[in-house]
Amino acid sequence: QWAGPGTTHNLESIVIGRCYSYIRVVNPSVGEKNCLQIWEAFQLAFVNKDPCSVLPSDYELYINLTLHKIPPNKSLFWENNKLLVHRYADKAQRFVPLGDSLMGWIADDLDWCGQTNYPGVDYISCPTTSECENNAKESFWRIASVTYAKISSGIIYIMLNGSSPGGAFPNESFFADYELPNFQSAQVSRFEIWVNDEIEGPDLDSCGTGSLKSLGSLLDSRGYTHSCTDNYR
Ligand code: NMN
């Protein structure tokens, strides 16, 4: 029915297992969390519901239960280079991008959506954002991105892709729409932007030109100090 992939099988086991794995093995510094309650809060947002009627606020309890501090200078934002960012971040050891925080770790690369008929979850297909904006996944990543930006402090790192055909800083993106407007200026010291081209890829965008110029002006207009490095090693 829908264009997107259906709910990942064994979703409940994956969510609960990832939660325990995170708090016990990957990053015990976040302290004790109730993983069963976290699953309950997650499913509460979308199970047995119309797949196009899930709002970011439906995940508020989930966000509150998974929340932990992101150490200053450890936040890493990105666009179009997920693999590189997460390899570099090294499971929260070097940096803590959203996908390496508990709220993002649990849901990363999963698909999920509800339906009003039995069994309350659609394993066949899920709506994409072009089909309906208020879908379970989109709303989840919106509130997760907003929250992550709000709790980030110190030097904020942004890793962008200089080989991206749409520009390193696409103007419609999770970063531009949900993260950039939500930084708390009182707790942010400055921005450090890295523009990395793909290995053997084209150099389409770089510091100070094209879309990076727009990002610079946006940060200026909000009174932030920023620096940019091309192909930082
Ligand atoms: O998925 P895109 O639009 O490239 O978004 C990346 C940005 O938005 C990152 O700065 C990240 O903090 C956030 N985000 C992360 C995930 C994820 O880790 N799976 C998903 C959606 C948004």
Side-chain angles (χ1 to χ4, degrees):
Q1 189 203 351
W2 303 106
T7 303
T8 308
H9 286 280
N10 309 103
L11 184 71
E12 176 173 356
S13 304
I14 296 171
V15 167
I16 296 171
R18 279 184 173 182
C19 175
Y20 280 123
S21 169
Y22 190 89
I23 65 166
R24 299 287 179 245
V25 186
V26 176
N27 192 8
S29 75
V30 300
E32 195 59 27
K33 301 284 174 196
N34 187 332
C35 292
L36 298 180
Q37 210 184 344
I38 285 170
W39 159 254
E40 285 304 324
F42 182 72
Q43 63 89 28
L44 192 68
F46 67 95
V47 172
N48 290 317
K49 282 172 60 173
D50 174 317
C52 291
S53 309
V54 180
L55 298 173
S57 57
D58 293 332
Y59 290 101
E60 265 167 19
L61 181 58
Y62 170 89
I63 297 287
N64 290 336
L65 292 171
T66 52
L67 209 60
H68 57 77
K69 290 200 171 79
I70 308 292
N73 316 323
K74 292 287 184 185
S75 284
L76 177 56
F77 294 81
W78 53 272
E79 275 303 328
N80 299 311
N81 47 16
K82 184 175 184 199
L83 200 60
L84 173 64
V85 161
H86 289 88
R87 279 186 181 159
Y88 183 60
D90 203 6
K91 298 196 263 186
Q93 293 189 90
R94 192 176 283 122
F95 279 97
V96 189
L98 175 56
D100 284 358
S101 73
L102 180 58
M103 62 178 158
W105 178 272
I106 287 176
D108 201 20
D109 293 329
L110 301 181
D111 292 296
W112 67 93
C113 64
Q115 61 181 28
T116 47
N117 302 341
Y118 180 84
V121 166
D122 191 342
Y123 290 104
I124 310 293
S125 67
C126 288
T128 57
T129 299
S130 50
E131 289 174 295
C132 63
E133 202 179 332
N134 294 334
N135 69 70
K137 266 188 83 172
E138 179 72 18
S139 292
F140 175 90
W141 289 110
R142 285 185 184 182
I143 191 171
S145 300
V146 167
T147 308
Y148 177 65
K150 283 187 177 164
I151 62 176
S152 291
S153 67
I155 306 169
I156 304 291
Y157 294 86
I158 306 169
M159 201 191 283
L160 300 172
N161 188 335
S163 302
S164 191
F169 172 61
N171 38 21
E172 263 193 40
S173 63
F174 274 98
F175 175 65
D177 296 335
Y178 303 103
E179 298 180 321
L180 201 46
N182 286 298
F183 289 112
Q184 306 291 298
S185 54
Q187 64 195 31
V188 169
S189 51
R190 62 187 178 84
F191 284 84
E192 179 89 46
I193 303 158
W194 293 323
V195 182
N196 296 334
D197 296 331
E198 299 279 351
I199 292 168
E200 308 288 310
D203 175 14
L204 300 178
D205 217 350
S206 42
C207 292
T209 64
S211 70
L212 274 314
K213 214 176 188 157
S214 330
L215 177 55
S217 330
L218 263 167
L219 293 173
D220 285 336
S221 71
R222 288 166 202 206
Y224 289 117
T225 314
H226 52 93
S227 53
C228 184
T229 310
D230 286 304
N231 292 309
Y232 172 73
R233 282 165 201 281

